[in-house]
Amino acid sequence: MTSGATKPKVIVLAGTAGTGKSTIAAKLREIFRTKYPDVDFLEGDTVHPPENIAKMSHAIPLTDDDRWDWLKKVSELSSQSAQKHSGLWIVTCSSLKKKYRDLIRSHSPETDFYFLFLFADRLLILDRITKREGHFMKANMINSQFSDLMLPDAAETLASTVDVDGKSVEQVVQECQADLKKFVAGN
Ligand SMILES: Nc1ncnc2c1ncn2[C@@H]1O[C@H](COP(=O)(O)OP(=O)(O)OP(=O)(O)O)[C@@H](O)[C@H]1O
Ligand SMILES: [Mg+2]
């Protein structure tokens, strides 16, 4: 559990497929372990119901109705994990539309969620995805993700975007750390 009045915190690594959410989540976990020894991360895609996984494996884009229960689960599991594990948890979840983020937040109001978007343009993502194997995300789902993508604007609190184009993993990690500094420090 957390100490004092600090709310449990969840960092959501957001963005379209192939932006580096899983890669960066693993790096941030190592960095934040000095302050939060039990922090780990959940791959949001692993808690999709089987019907959603079947659709995605056939490159059929999910509808919003397919997503609501899954988003609630992502919210619940990561909030509970933050409470159980030193007050901080990390989850990867594309969170493309603002209404998805709002549902994650409103479903676990006891927890603060920070949406950290990783962004790269469609061509870079297509290049990465087509090179990658062993993943259910098909290249032809990328267009649908880009048409859904609604990056957080200045009015959305506890959210920011890191442009990953042309940056090494280390550079991206540094920018993410800078964005998260205040959130993770608990101020
Ligand atoms: N900054 C970077 N520069 C170059 N390659 C990167 C960078 N970040 C990640 N990658 C590579 O891009 C690919 C996609 O990264 P990763 O699997 O972390 O993305 P993801 O957002 O989790 O994708 P998905 O949504 O499909 O799970 C991987 O092969 C990873 O090694
Ligand atoms: Mg991933």
Side-chain angles (χ1 to χ4, degrees):
M1 284 295 285
T2 49
S3 59
T6 310
K7 289 168 84 175
K9 300 169 203 296
V10 173
I11 298 164
V12 185
L13 266 301
T16 63
T19 46
K21 299 182 296 295
S22 303
T23 306
I24 302 302
K27 296 278 186 187
L28 292 175
R29 171 183 59 187
E30 300 319 311
I31 289 165
F32 292 139
R33 273 196 175 156
T34 50
K35 183 170 162 72
Y36 298 89
D38 298 332
V39 67
D40 207 334
F41 77 94
L42 169 72
E43 290 280 16
D45 280 348
T46 61
V47 299
H48 267 294
E51 313 85 78
N52 287 2
I53 293 176
K55 269 188 154 185
M56 291 187 281
S57 70
H58 292 94
I60 303 166
L62 300 181
T63 65
D64 284 351
D65 282 342
D66 292 328
R67 287 194 169 93
W68 302 129
D69 285 347
W70 167 63
L71 290 167
K72 286 181 193 167
K73 200 166 177 186
V74 166
S75 174
E76 234 163 79
L77 289 174
S78 51
S79 168
Q80 287 164 3
S81 298
Q83 292 175 57
K84 279 190 211 136
H85 299 91
S86 7
L88 182 72
W89 196 254
I90 303 171
V91 62
T92 61
C93 176
S94 53
S95 312
L96 300 179
K97 295 184 187 176
K98 181 164 184 296
K99 61 184 173 183
Y100 302 163
R101 304 188 292 271
D102 288 342
L103 179 62
I104 288 175
R105 291 182 178 112
S106 64
H107 192 68
S108 304
E110 71 285 0
T111 297
D112 279 335
F113 291 87
Y114 190 107
F115 288 86
L116 185 55
F117 266 82
L118 304 180
F119 176 80
D121 74 26
R122 212 168 50 88
L123 290 181
L124 184 136
I125 294 305
L126 277 172
D127 185 55
R128 279 193 191 169
I129 294 287
T130 47
K131 281 179 186 152
R132 190 173 52 177
E133 289 172 44
H135 199 281
F136 61 66
M137 179 61 63
K138 295 270 166 48
N140 59 357
M141 288 188 68
I142 298 301
N143 288 343
S144 142
Q145 291 207 355
F146 273 86
S147 62
D148 284 349
L149 178 62
M150 192 186 293
L151 291 172
D153 61 18
E156 197 173 330
T157 54
L158 297 185
S160 61
T161 302
V162 169
D163 192 333
V164 303
D165 203 344
K167 291 175 192 159
S168 67
V169 169
E170 288 65 33
Q171 284 173 308
V172 174
V173 168
Q174 274 182 16
E175 290 191 26
C176 290
Q177 253 190 293
D179 280 13
L180 291 166
K181 196 172 174 192
K182 199 171 163 199
F183 182 68
V184 171
N187 297 319

